[in-house]
Amino acid sequence: MIWFTFLNNLIYNNGFKNGFMKKLSLYIHIPFCDHKCIYCDFYSLISYKNINVFFAALEKEAEYYSAKYSNEYQIKTIFFGGGTPSFVDVIFLESTLKNLNDSFKISKDVEVTIETNPGTVNKQKLASFLDIGINRISVGIQSFNEDELKFLTRIHDPKTAAETVRHAYEVGFENTSVDLIFNLPGQSSEKWKSNLNKALELPVKHISAYSLILERGTILNKMVLDGKVKMQDIEIDANLYETTIEHLSAAGFKQYEVSNFAVPGFECRHNLTYWEHKEYVGLGTAAHSFVNGKRWWNYSSLKMYIAAIQEKGNAVRNEEILTASEMQDEYIMLNLRANGLSLYELSNLYGSAWIKRNEKFIRKLVNDKLLTSNNNFIKFTTRGYALCDEILAHFS
Ligand code: SF4
């Protein structure tokens, strides 16, 4: 069984890494979906025609990056996102993991997540995920309300959503997250709280709660432009967001990023890579990477992705090298949006000019109870998180 091979290799790999290696996260974008949800602007296809060719290209791409990085880096997290990675046959995921394990040095405690949509998995498929080495499930529930799910054009109903989480727990997943969306048209605070309560009744350790955003090019955007749907205003959105923070905090979930809450110890290590400005490589269509101050991104189109991999082993569409000042700005912005910013670490990395420049503003934010400051560590309060975009724009 592949799981045992995977485990044995993990132990073997771990034997010669000895802590000297840098850490890297791997993101794998699987671009296939059952259908297109009205609010979604991610790159996804509803045709499975090229699935074999895609996974063959993915394998080649992994080999390309392993030749570049596997001597220096050890993989600490792997994240299957999309798209709907849970929709593809387990055999593809199994061979991808096997290939990664053969090509890279994998950390013994690697976190391996799969985004999973209710309605695309049964208990047996969930058990197979565990079997091939996946140890974290992120379930895209979005709502437990029948009408809201219909509005969002999700393929599942509330019963299937709850069942998926329970089944994941029953087959052995201890680290399960659910995604929920708030501020849907006409959504009241009570309706939203009832969604949060239903999630809290389930065996989940992590909740991501996102406000419904109107993205250009989506079906929802057209519906709003045509006057068929009216979005709620910004005050309702802010109130629902504050309700989220209060409700989840009271239930023992710690907010560790603007939209993310976890039982302590169950924060998503993969996402922390992004928010702590650490290094990652993205494989697959439209995937982004960030290593050594350089960011690059892949072709979105499946056709162009496959052609580029076949030609040169990678599918880089474009790249940018961040200046020292851009690196500092991203470091500050990402850490503040997440778990907070260590001013000590900041000055070690980038000097103290930013701190001196913003000292007065930081004091004001602390006085206004938008920021807390302890031992040179600053962090947004609940109100601060609610206003974080506005506040971040005022730092100089
Ligand atoms: S299932 Fe997810 S990725 Fe696919 S269309 Fe819906 S929201 Fe987008």
Side-chain angles (χ1 to χ4, degrees), residues 29-46 81-85 115 117 120 140 142 152-155 181:
H29 189 89
I30 313 281
F32 305 102
C33 282
D34 174 72
H35 76 297
K36 194 77 192 166
C37 303
I38 56 161
Y39 59 93
C40 177
D41 74 332
F42 291 125
Y43 178 72
S44 61
L45 299 160
I46 51 173
T84 311
E115 285 181 344
N117 280 353
T120 63
Q142 319 311 354
L152 292 169
T153 57
R154 301 294 294 184
I155 57 169
I181 300 181

Side-chain angles (χ1 to χ4, degrees), residues 5-6 9-10 13 96-104 106:
T5 319
F6 189 58
N9 285 343
L10 290 183
N13 280 334
T96 301
L97 279 177
K98 184 179 178 316
N99 175 46
L100 293 180
N101 190 52
D102 292 343
S103 324
F104 288 93
I106 311 277

